[in-house]
Amino acid sequence: NTGVTQTPKFRILKIGQSMTLQCTQDMNHNYMYWYRQDPGMGLKLIYYSVGAGITDKGEVPNGYNVSRSTTEDFPLRLELAAPSQTSVYFCASSYLEQETQYFGPGTRLLVL
Amino acid sequence: GENVEQHPSTLSVQEGDSAVIKCTYSDSASNYFPWYKQELGKRPQLIIDIRSNVGEKKDQRIAVTLNKTAKHFSLHITETQPEDSAVYFCAACNYGGSQGNLIFGKGTKLSVKP
């Protein structure tokens, strides 16, 4: 298993542009999560999914959308990028709800 | 909703000393408390966790204690080594309840001086 993978590693966006952050896991985990990490602010949950076809909002969902068409993939969509979305984005997965969350390597996004 | 406070924000110790990081939580129904370690430029990784039916858990040089009455939990690292230098995050959640997702503290940057 390669675990949780994310692409791209780094991206610069102009205000108003859109992009999709990709996340894939090969551990057959049911639960998948998207977090953003701002300096000195810890991790904030954006969206999560408990299985294919099921997604729900986290703490900070505004400006983002997700889909979960397969168990393996959980892409995060930014429709109209804003400077406030400059952050490091981590995808994570876990087999069950109260189990270890395994994080991907992160995507660093800069919106100018 | 749940709120997690973490202290201190930075901690510097000499190699071989002990380090203690404390977190408080607001939701008395929270029942799962993991700790994650994040090295510079790397992803967070779980180092230890504790559930509400246990007061203490140890794993080699790392231990976590939980005081449900006071709603706080702590990470203890003994015999610190330079490779323990990282940012440590605590988290809390109420699995099975209204707040079933991890709420993270803001992190503690631990520096171990050789």
Side-chain angles (χ1 to χ4, degrees), chain A residues 4 35 37 40-43 45 48 59 90 97-101 103-105, chain B residues 31-32 36 38 42-44 46 51 89 95-96 100-106:
Chain A
V4 181
Y35 293 93
Q37 183 176 38
M41 293 300 294
L43 293 147
L45 182 67
Y48 67 101
E59 294 178 83
F90 286 100
E97 190 177 31
Q98 202 175 123
E99 297 286 341
T100 303
Q101 289 190 18
F103 284 79
Chain B
N31 51 23
Y32 178 63
Y36 283 81
Q38 186 178 27
K42 304 287 187 177
R43 71 192 78 186
L46 181 78
R51 289 169 170 76
F89 294 97
Y95 282 121
N101 299 306
L102 290 177
I103 303 298
F104 285 85
K106 294 183 178 180

Side-chain angles (χ1 to χ4, degrees), chain A residues 4 15 24 31 54 60 77 85 101 111:
Chain A
V4 181
I15 294 172
T24 300
Y31 291 77
I54 306 170
V60 290
R77 178 83 176 164
Q85 294 178 305
Q101 289 190 18
V111 182

